[in-house]
């Protein structure tokens, strides 16, 4: 009993994300099943230019363990509570806004192919995905937002500063996940752009110190003077 009590007090901060995820899943399922008379169709001409490619199902599905292991790392391994709450609050902010948008602006996309030209393990996985996930409530893309939020947390983690391969792998996987949402016809370009915009807002809100580090050289008089000198050569 003492061991369980110690475990609770040591990792109780993880309950924040656990409780939120349970509430989020319940509300999302309700949004998916509620009767809606009119859906707003999300579509751009750019969506028609992007071909369907079933191989992107691999990075798309990798989003789930990517999310899970990153959150578990910040709960159980990383000792910096501030970094954990940066990630948790960022994720909760974006996912809550997604629920609000889905409620007030019911949306749908009609991008999915009617049939697959190839029959392989990848198209079967995509078919399974289509059968379990409706093409409604897609704006903004949570796949995109959460991937970027996770990458931000890993890229700004002090304990991982010396492990460039983790940051680079995370960045590559994030790019592939973002592309997969469009190549699998799960999301419109609009969903992706809004997901990226929301992620940038979260970065400005929850990582202001890091943004200041990036902008400081641009704002310093010495940098501006050197820039002008370079132009005048």
């Amino acid at each position: 009993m003492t061991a369980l009590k110690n475990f609770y007090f040591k990792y109780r901060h993880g309950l924040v994300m656990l409780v939120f995820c349970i509430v989020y899943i319940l509300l999302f399922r309700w949004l998916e099943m509620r009767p809606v008379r009119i859906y707003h169709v999300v579509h751009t001409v750019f969506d028609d230019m992007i071909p369907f490619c079933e191989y992107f199902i691999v990075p798309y599905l990798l989003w789930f363990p990517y999310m899970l292991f990153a959150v578990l790392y910040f709960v159980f391994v990383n000792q910096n509570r501030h970094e954990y709450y940066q990630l948790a609050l960022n994720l909760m902010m974006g996912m809550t806004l997604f629920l609000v948008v889905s409620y007030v602006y019911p949306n749908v996309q009609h991008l999915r192919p009617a049939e697959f030209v190839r029959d392989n393990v990848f198209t079967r996985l995509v078919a399974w995905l289509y059968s379990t996930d409706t093409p409604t409530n897609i704006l903004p893309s949570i796949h995109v937002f959460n991937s970027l939020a996770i990458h931000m947390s890993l890229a700004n983690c002090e304990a991982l500063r010396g492990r460039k391969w983790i940051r680079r792998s995370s960045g590559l996987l994030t790019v592939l996940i973002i592309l997969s949402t469009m190549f699998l016809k799960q999301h419109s370009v609009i969903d992706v752009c809004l997901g990226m915009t929301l992620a940038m807002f979260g970065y400005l809100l929850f990582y202001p110190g890091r943004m200041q580090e990036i902008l400081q050289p641009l704002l310093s008089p010495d940098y501006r003077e050197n820039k002008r000198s370079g132009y005048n050569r």
Side-chain angles (χ1 to χ4, degrees):
M1 193 66 181
T2 303
L4 185 61
K5 185 177 180 180
N6 292 338
F7 180 86
Y8 167 77
F9 281 106
K10 186 176 182 179
Y11 301 113
R12 58 183 174 179
H13 55 284
L15 290 175
V16 174
M17 278 303 297
L18 178 61
V19 172
F20 175 81
C21 286
I22 293 173
V23 174
Y24 172 82
I25 291 172
L26 292 175
L27 290 176
F28 178 72
R29 296 310 303 170
W30 176 78
L31 285 170
E32 290 281 271
M33 295 184 294
R34 69 174 177 145
V36 177
R37 294 180 59 186
I38 299 177
Y39 280 102
H40 301 270
V41 179
V42 181
H43 181 265
T44 71
V45 293
F46 301 107
D47 297 318
D48 300 328
M49 301 177 185
I50 301 174
F52 171 81
C53 181
E54 69 270 21
Y55 303 114
F56 275 96
I57 190 64
V58 176
Y60 189 89
L61 294 179
L62 284 176
W63 176 84
F64 297 96
Y66 179 53
M67 282 280 300
L68 177 62
F69 289 127
V71 172
L72 291 178
Y73 168 78
F74 281 96
V75 173
F76 294 107
V77 180
N78 189 23
Q79 301 298 315
N80 192 323
R81 296 284 180 86
H82 176 67
E83 291 179 348
Y84 163 74
Y85 283 111
Q86 280 180 310
L87 172 60
L89 292 175
N90 195 11
L91 289 174
M92 291 190 289
M93 178 275 299
M95 295 166 78
T96 299
L97 284 177
F98 164 77
L99 292 174
V100 173
V101 171
S102 298
Y103 179 76
V104 300
Y105 186 77
N107 50 85
V108 66
Q109 55 95 343
H110 301 306
L111 304 173
R112 295 177 175 180
E115 58 183 20
F116 302 121
V117 297
R118 292 175 292 276
D119 180 22
N120 52 47
V121 64
F122 302 103
T123 54
R124 291 171 200 157
L125 283 172
V126 176
W128 168 81
L129 174 65
Y130 287 176
S131 68
T132 59
D133 186 24
T134 70
T136 61
N137 302 317
I138 57 171
L139 182 74
S141 170
I142 286 300
H143 248 69
V144 170
F145 169 78
N146 281 2
S147 298
L148 287 169
I150 290 294
H151 178 64
M152 291 172 191
S153 68
L154 296 175
N156 289 282
C157 178
E158 287 294 335
L160 300 177
R161 281 294 173 92
R163 302 184 179 182
K164 293 183 179 180
W165 68 271
I166 293 180
R167 287 183 290 168
R168 290 171 180 170
S169 299
S170 171
L172 176 60
L173 180 57
T174 296
V175 171
L176 290 174
I177 290 173
I178 292 173
L179 291 175
S180 73
T181 64
M182 294 177 286
F183 279 95
L184 291 181
K185 301 302 179 179
Q186 279 288 91
H187 285 281
S188 166
V189 172
I190 295 177
D191 311 329
V192 172
C193 290
L194 290 179
M196 296 173 69
T197 302
L198 184 57
M200 180 55 65
F201 172 76
Y203 192 72
L204 293 172
L205 182 63
F206 296 107
Y207 299 89
R210 180 57 179 158
M211 184 57 67
Q212 186 177 2
E213 290 178 18
I214 296 173
L215 295 178
Q216 188 62 39
L218 303 178
L219 301 176
S220 66
D222 292 340
Y223 179 87
R224 292 198 298 269
E225 184 62 32
N226 291 337
K227 199 71 173 178
R228 283 195 295 267
S229 299
Y231 288 144
N232 293 331
R233 288 176 183 174

